Amino acid sequence: MSSHGRALPGEPDEPAAASRPAADRPGVLPLVDLDVDLSSHELLRRAHVLDALGPDWDPVAALRGEEAAYELLYSGLDAEQQRMYDELVSAGVLPRRGGGDAAA
């Protein structure tokens, strides 16, 4: 409804009209269910990703490298960084990582 108290074109004239089914309101189309199956697109996307990674990609080595990077990231912390890290671990925000023995 406009600020002048009159209904704008396409709006119901009365507040209660919005609660009526769409079929009972002139100019309002009923809602329809729309289902889109993207599973074939997802399979194609995955095939393209694997193709881009190439035949030499080793997922186990990639995960090991990621874990090693995290170990380095959380090692060699100064006292304030270690305090913040411990606080985040105890709050469950970060997992416990790093032995603190890598170079800073």
Side-chain angles (χ1 to χ4, degrees):
M1 184 155 305
S2 74
S3 60
H4 302 298
R6 292 183 300 232
L8 297 173
E11 277 190 339
D13 290 334
E14 64 213 39
S19 63
R20 292 193 321 238
D24 296 342
R25 291 183 276 157
V28 177
L29 298 174
L31 297 177
V32 296
D33 287 333
L34 177 65
D35 293 325
V36 178
D37 183 7
L38 296 175
S39 55
S40 64
H41 176 75
E42 177 62 15
L43 289 175
L44 181 62
R45 185 195 67 79
R46 288 180 185 186
H48 286 299
V49 167
L50 290 174
D51 188 43
L53 290 170
D56 298 329
W57 179 63
D58 181 0
V60 174
L63 286 174
R64 284 186 186 133
E66 187 175 321
E67 286 298 317
Y70 276 119
E71 294 295 326
L72 283 173
L73 179 65
Y74 296 117
S75 66
L77 303 176
D78 65 26
E80 176 62 17
Q81 291 169 332
Q82 187 65 50
R83 184 195 64 75
M84 180 59 68
Y85 172 76
D86 291 337
E87 194 174 306
L88 291 171
V89 168
S90 63
V93 175
L94 290 174
R96 170 71 50 198
R97 294 182 185 270
D101 54 1

